[in-house]
Amino acid sequence: MAIETTKKNNKILPDILAVIKDVELFSGLGDEDMKSFADKASFYSYPKGKVLFIRDEPADYFYLIISGWVKLFRETLDGDEAVIDVLTDGHIFGETSIFEGGLYPYGAQVIEDAEILMIPTSVLEEKIKNNITLSMNMLGAMSRYRKQQDNEIEHRTLQNAPQRIGCFLLRLCKADDGKSVTLHLPYDKMLIASRLGMKPETFSRSLATLAKNTGINVKGSSVQIDDIERLTGYSCNACSNSYPCHDL
Amino acid sequence: MAIETTKKNNKILPDILAVIKDVELFSGLGDEDMKSFADKASFYSYPKGKVLFIRDEPADYFYLIISGWVKLFRETLDGDEAVIDVLTDGHIFGETSIFEGGLYPYGAQVIEDAEILMIPTSVLEEKIKNNITLSMNMLGAMSRYRKQQDNEIEHRTLQNAPQRIGCFLLRLCKADDGKSVTLHLPYDKMLIASRLGMKPETFSRSLATLAKNTGINVKGSSVQIDDIERLTGYSCNACSNSYPCHDL
DNA sequence: CGAGGGTTTGAAGTGCATCAAATAGTGTGG
DNA sequence: CCACACTATTTGATGCACTTCAAACCCTCG
């Protein structure tokens, strides 16, 4: 998923349409409908650090990630932060605000330079009431998300820190079945830590423990996994999912 | 929400219809639609302990609780268990299976004697594709659930054990604004513990700590709260929700 | 090259879990 | 209605996992 143009510009409309056609939420929609989303969409390119919106802000737009990474988070008065999720290309966020009284239920911040589409929630809100395909798609998406969150709760309840990291790494390997995989951590270790509900120091130490116990090789932000079975065995025993949580 | 008859029986149809009319998921549906759900629904009364279904079982029915309590859970190979949620009257569960390949994504067990309706998922599946009101209702429900899960993750990340218990108690008080409230724990302390992601021993000790710090009074399964503000202050500071998580 | 944030490491503390045992509570059959 | 059996709950002692605080290191980028 890439787009050539790097500036907001009406002339890139055809590209936006192409992007939108690939989004699962819109799959099966007629060209008409696709087009009305594309027409109202704006393309932006944001650097790491950009705050897209904060919690309880009026939600005029929902977002579609074309590339890069975005975190969804909540903050307490004391300044503590809980990372709800970290998303990358193909994912949308902020769309549930249409069921939340028009306010964002979390904040969103770019954590790796990102290209995104902003689409007015009003378009979604109006179309979803009249288009059964769209509402079924959205139901499917929310159901998938729900399952994923159930997993999240389970992981945080039953897995210890090294296991959660192992599970995170396995999800990064996606469909790779080959014996040996080398992968690149997609964003800061600090952030992975909070994504997994632990402190940076704990992450550092736990990653070392994991490496010792599963034979993986960590150098900076690249991780080499020679024996996936071994990693799976170590991480996934404490989890109810039949095998690696991959396709969630 | 009560029903007089205690046996599955076609003669109680009118009562089932009445129950169904009160369910949020079905609100706004025409009498026709309500009736087709009611016609296919079966009423059951189950004692504490009854396992309704287990994970990955074919999901032929979804469930509506009329009274009592039901827990949704997942188990690992080691026998560890994560409680996903604990539900009571008015709540439905098992309905997301229609987006999950027809398998239940969790197990369900009655934990306090319960009256329930079983409704074939096929009815829901067929109707939801053709009825925009129903699919919008379901979207709203799932959105609400999603927000609640986000809260859950936040709580388990940012609140300590006594605070989580305090938050749990506050949610039981619902709309009571009066100075003093006495409430009754709705199910076993063991279960509340796992619902909150802690061990029974920890629950016991943490409840004592909470009592000491907030002036609440615990005797067996009844809890007297004289100063709700104080409890709120203690529990909700570590939470991003503006005030008590009540209406979630 | 120097500043600043990300990452690691060390030492010490805290919170929750674990293991073990006592106590309270509940339902049963006599 | 009582005694027993069984489970839920509490309490104590101890251990481990993760956090906290502090400092060093490292890497990137102006």
Side-chain angles (χ1 to χ4, degrees):
Chain A
M1 208 172 221
I3 201 165
E4 298 80 42
T5 329
T6 55
K7 292 192 57 175
K8 179 192 175 185
N9 178 353
N10 283 331
K11 289 177 191 151
I12 62 168
L13 257 188
D15 288 318
I16 290 186
L17 190 55
V19 167
I20 279 182
K21 279 186 174 165
D22 271 350
V23 176
E24 211 168 332
L25 180 67
F26 301 130
S27 83
L29 285 194
D31 283 350
E32 290 285 305
D33 289 322
M34 298 261 199
K35 201 152 178 313
S36 49
F37 279 109
D39 282 347
K40 293 281 183 63
S42 326
F43 175 80
Y44 290 94
S45 197
Y46 286 124
K48 182 173 174 170
K50 168 73 181 181
V51 172
L52 298 172
F53 53 80
I54 58 173
R55 192 176 179 193
D56 289 334
E57 198 175 292
D60 297 324
Y61 298 89
F62 71 98
Y63 292 73
L64 165 59
I65 307 178
I66 295 170
S67 70
W69 290 85
V70 172
K71 82 167 174 196
L72 310 183
F73 64 99
R74 291 160 157 227
E75 280 173 321
T76 66
L77 296 171
D78 335 349
D80 273 345
E81 174 183 287
V83 173
I84 305 286
D85 210 347
V86 176
L87 304 172
T88 187
D89 60 80
H91 288 267
I92 60 172
F93 58 94
E95 84 287 5
T96 52
S97 57
I98 64 179
F99 301 104
E100 307 270 0
L103 303 180
Y104 292 115
Y106 40 64
Q109 182 180 24
V110 172
I111 54 165
E112 291 296 333
D113 297 359
E115 299 172 302
I116 58 166
L117 287 185
M118 285 173 68
I119 305 175
T121 48
S122 56
V123 182
L124 181 64
E125 203 166 359
E126 180 235 316
K127 286 220 171 286
I128 208 167
K129 285 181 193 145
N130 301 308
N131 189 313
I132 200 74
T133 304
L134 185 57
S135 57
M136 288 303 287
N137 283 354
M138 190 141 174
L139 274 169
M142 292 190 70
S143 172
R144 228 169 299 123
Y145 187 83
R146 173 174 176 165
K147 192 173 180 187
Q148 188 187 309
Q149 292 295 73
D150 285 348
N151 270 321
E152 193 62 37
I153 291 178
E154 177 183 328
H155 286 160
R156 296 202 185 191
T157 307
L158 302 177
Q159 292 183 316
N160 64 22
Q163 287 171 328
R164 285 210 296 281
I165 297 175
C167 185
F168 178 81
L169 295 179
L170 284 167
R171 270 171 287 157
L172 286 178
C173 309
K174 300 237 164 157
D176 289 309
D177 286 325
K179 299 246 165 152
S180 175
V181 182
T182 300
L183 52 82
H184 196 81
L185 300 180
Y187 42 87
D188 287 355
K189 289 180 177 178
M190 270 180 73
L191 204 61
I192 300 179
S194 46
R195 162 72 183 77
L196 298 175
M198 64 188 81
K199 300 291 163 186
E201 296 95 326
T202 302
F203 179 84
S204 177
R205 286 185 251 260
S206 297
L207 183 55
T209 305
L210 181 69
K212 185 152 49 67
N213 287 315
T214 65
I216 68 173
N217 217 305
V218 182
K219 267 202 203 84
S221 69
S222 77
V223 179
Q224 190 192 345
I225 304 171
D226 292 321
D227 189 345
I228 293 194
E229 303 276 333
R230 193 168 162 206
L231 183 54
T232 306
Y234 181 84
S235 303
C236 301
N237 273 349
C239 178
S240 75
N241 296 305
S242 29
Y243 237 122
C245 307
H246 274 163
D247 47 355
L248 300 174
Chain B
M1 208 171 220
I3 201 163
E4 298 80 41
T5 330
T6 55
K7 292 190 61 175
K8 179 191 175 186
N9 181 351
N10 283 331
K11 288 176 191 151
I12 63 168
L13 257 188
D15 288 318
I16 290 187
L17 190 55
V19 167
I20 279 182
K21 280 187 174 165
D22 271 351
V23 176
E24 210 167 333
L25 180 66
F26 300 129
S27 82
L29 287 193
D31 282 352
E32 289 284 305
D33 289 321
M34 298 261 200
K35 199 152 179 314
S36 48
F37 279 110
D39 281 348
K40 294 281 184 63
S42 325
F43 175 81
Y44 289 94
S45 198
Y46 286 124
K48 181 173 176 172
K50 168 74 182 180
V51 172
L52 299 172
F53 53 80
I54 59 172
R55 192 177 180 193
D56 289 333
E57 199 176 292
D60 297 323
Y61 299 88
F62 71 98
Y63 293 73
L64 165 59
I65 307 177
I66 295 171
S67 70
W69 290 84
V70 172
K71 82 167 172 196
L72 311 183
F73 64 99
R74 292 162 156 224
E75 279 173 323
T76 66
L77 296 171
D78 334 350
D80 272 345
E81 174 182 289
V83 172
I84 305 285
D85 211 346
V86 176
L87 304 173
T88 188
D89 60 81
H91 289 268
I92 61 171
F93 59 94
E95 84 286 5
T96 53
S97 56
I98 64 179
F99 302 103
E100 307 268 1
L103 303 180
Y104 292 115
Y106 39 65
Q109 182 180 24
V110 172
I111 53 165
E112 291 297 334
D113 297 359
E115 298 172 303
I116 57 167
L117 287 186
M118 286 174 68
I119 306 176
T121 48
S122 55
V123 182
L124 181 63
E125 204 166 358
E126 180 236 315
K127 287 219 170 285
I128 207 166
K129 286 182 191 143
N130 300 308
N131 189 315
I132 200 72
T133 304
L134 184 58
S135 57
M136 288 303 287
N137 282 355
M138 189 141 172
L139 274 169
M142 293 191 68
S143 172
R144 227 169 301 121
Y145 187 82
R146 172 174 178 165
K147 192 174 179 187
Q148 190 186 308
Q149 291 295 74
D150 286 349
N151 269 323
E152 194 62 36
I153 290 178
E154 178 184 328
H155 286 160
R156 297 203 184 188
T157 307
L158 301 176
Q159 290 184 319
N160 63 23
Q163 286 171 329
R164 286 210 296 281
I165 297 174
C167 186
F168 178 82
L169 294 178
L170 284 167
R171 270 172 285 156
L172 286 178
C173 309
K174 302 239 165 155
D176 288 310
D177 287 324
K179 299 247 165 151
S180 176
V181 182
T182 299
L183 51 83
H184 197 79
L185 300 181
Y187 42 87
D188 286 355
K189 288 181 177 178
M190 271 181 72
L191 204 60
I192 300 178
S194 46
R195 162 71 183 77
L196 298 175
M198 64 187 81
K199 300 290 162 187
E201 296 94 325
T202 302
F203 179 84
S204 178
R205 283 186 252 262
S206 297
L207 183 55
T209 304
L210 181 69
K212 184 151 49 69
N213 287 315
T214 65
I216 69 173
N217 217 305
V218 182
K219 268 203 202 84
S221 68
S222 77
V223 179
Q224 190 192 347
I225 304 171
D226 292 322
D227 188 345
I228 293 194
E229 303 274 332
R230 193 168 161 205
L231 182 54
T232 305
Y234 181 84
S235 303
C236 301
N237 273 348
C239 178
S240 75
N241 296 305
S242 29
Y243 236 122
C245 305
H246 273 164
D247 46 357
L248 300 173

